[in-house]
Amino acid sequence: MSVVADRPFLPFARPVLDEATIESVRAVLASGWITSGPKVLEFEAALSSLFSGRPVRAFANGTATMEIALRVAGIGPGDEVITTPITWVATANVILAVGASPVFVDIDPATRNLDLQAVEDAITPRTRAVMPVYLAGLPVDMDRLYAIAGRHGLRVIEDAAQAIGSRWNERPIGSFGDMVSFSFQANKNITCAEGGCLVLGSDDEAVRAERLRLQGVVRSGLDGMDVLVPGGKANLTDINAAIGLGQLARLGEITRRRAELVALYFEIAGALKLQDMGIDLPPAARAQGAIGNWHMFQVILPAKGPGGQRAAVMQSMRDAGVGTGVHYPALHLFSHYRSLGWREGMLPHAERAGRSLLTLPLFPSMSADDVERACTALADACRPYAR
Ligand SMILES: *Cc1c(COP(=O)(O)O)cnc(C)c1O
């Protein structure tokens, strides 16, 4: 491990896995049944109680979860799905995977989430669904989102990959709405190492999602087997589910700790006058009622100066022992999406965010001193460019 001034490198994310969780994984490994089994059922039941008893199915990862959600909704060739370009590319890749077309709309710079007015303006007769993403775990205005979907008869497939533990007023994201997809990839607030889950609005759709998860196979009796749809292979293992159960037990504590660290970030950023250097701090709850889980603490570097020099800022922070991340480049500008007709200049707010968003370290086992180190390293890295 590299060490700067006797302090270990500070990564931007790090899971907290306790001894009890490690022991529960050992027990699964020793049990003789290591793939999908009782732990997955237990994990699905625990998630369902978090989501007001709605049906939940677990999957191998968040990407497979979203693809199956689109298939269950019957979305395919000729259909348009509206989403944001400031997301992990999985969101748009799965739309293409089912044969539909992603339609990107610009973000609202205040929330960095998709602009709901732009969503409504982008609806055409071919629009079948909206896929909102809650960047850094901050929900959009959920009342307005569902009002738009209701008015136009659209499905809502929420990419809530980053939003476990986030709330809309008093209700957890996932406990209401249409289909809600979560990811338990290693950097998410709670993890299975890899995993995902889908919350559905009906048992009928849950059964269809379950079939698509394992080749479309339906069994009856001891030797009866049929295939109703050509499904894939996206089941979660009991090993991963055991990790998820250990994490879920600590969701409240993890969410509270992240909020504490964020309060400290705002305090120290204020003291160091980061905003006077042109650095944009993350949105606090902007839509009234949106309570994020602080999946990330992201700044936007100044428009002039370090915005165009993000790599130099990252290098300087790395040299100071502080890790950072980029979440995300505007995905409509990736080569494949350009080949579908998307161009620079179409979504200016997203393009600016995509060039200058920077994710600072945030994870529960960080100390106050770590927050101070991150802010100081950012200030030092930006100072040469400050206006
Ligand atoms: C993590 C993530 C995904 C994908 O989840 P995986 O479990 O890595 O497949 C999709 N969308 C967003 C916004 C994510 O953050």
Side-chain angles (χ1 to χ4, degrees), residues 61-63 66 87-88 90-91 133 159 161-162 183 185 188 195 328:
N61 54 68
T63 307
M66 294 192 294
T87 180
W88 178 227
T91 314
V133 175
D159 180 355
Q162 304 183 358
S183 165
Q185 184 266 343
K188 303 303 200 260
Y328 298 91

Side-chain angles (χ1 to χ4, degrees), residues 165-374:
S166 299
R167 284 175 290 143
W168 173 245
N169 296 314
E170 286 313 304
R171 306 164 81 189
I173 291 298
S175 69
F176 63 96
D178 191 354
M179 282 196 260
V180 190
S181 172
F182 292 91
S183 165
F184 304 118
Q185 184 266 343
N187 286 345
K188 303 303 200 260
N189 285 22
I190 67 169
T191 184
C192 295
E194 298 287 352
C197 81
L198 185 64
V199 190
L200 301 106
S202 76
D203 288 322
D204 173 57
E205 290 199 331
V207 167
R208 283 159 56 203
E210 193 176 310
R211 284 187 190 140
L212 289 169
R213 179 172 69 179
L214 232 170
Q215 316 293 0
V217 162
V218 181
R219 295 180 185 280
S220 55
L222 278 182
D223 66 345
M225 175 156 126
D226 195 9
V227 173
L228 301 178
V229 285
K233 168 84 174 167
N235 54 306
L236 188 73
T237 77
D238 268 18
I239 301 169
N240 298 102
I243 301 172
L245 280 163
Q247 292 271 285
L248 197 52
R250 300 182 60 181
L251 176 62
E253 176 198 338
I254 287 170
T255 309
R256 275 192 300 280
R257 177 66 187 152
R258 297 182 83 93
E260 265 169 36
L261 290 164
V262 164
L264 209 54
Y265 255 118
F266 279 115
E267 192 183 310
I268 297 173
L272 291 175
K273 301 197 183 323
L274 293 186
Q275 280 171 302
D276 293 351
M277 298 172 74
I279 299 168
D280 262 0
L281 298 181
R286 289 284 166 91
Q288 207 173 2
I291 299 161
N293 64 355
W294 291 107
H295 172 57
M296 297 188 281
F297 189 89
Q298 299 180 287
V299 296
I300 293 185
L301 300 175
K304 296 213 170 62
Q309 329 230 4
R310 182 169 57 191
V313 171
M314 293 174 80
Q315 184 64 53
S316 158
M317 292 182 71
R318 179 182 293 181
D319 293 344
V322 176
T324 54
V326 173
H327 306 92
Y328 298 91
L331 76 80
H332 66 292
L333 300 180
F334 290 143
S335 297
H336 183 72
Y337 289 89
R338 284 179 187 268
S339 80
L340 302 176
W342 295 93
R343 292 284 177 274
E344 194 111 34
M346 287 179 166
L347 305 166
H349 293 302
E351 288 161 22
R352 153 120 172 80
R355 278 191 304 272
S356 41
L357 271 167
L358 188 69
T359 305
L360 303 185
L362 182 60
F363 52 90
S365 57
M366 268 173 80
S367 65
D369 181 53
D370 291 333
V371 176
E372 175 127 33
R373 266 170 83 190

Side-chain angles (χ1 to χ4, degrees), residues 110-147:
T111 63
R112 305 169 183 173
N113 282 325
L114 42 61
D115 176 335
L116 293 177
Q117 185 57 53
V119 169
E120 193 149 25
D121 295 344
I123 294 171
T124 74
R126 292 165 58 179
T127 307
R128 292 284 314 281
V130 185
M131 274 182 100
V133 175
Y134 312 134
L135 190 70
L138 183 70
V140 299
D141 181 331
M142 302 300 289
D143 292 341
R144 193 167 166 210
L145 169 70
Y146 276 96

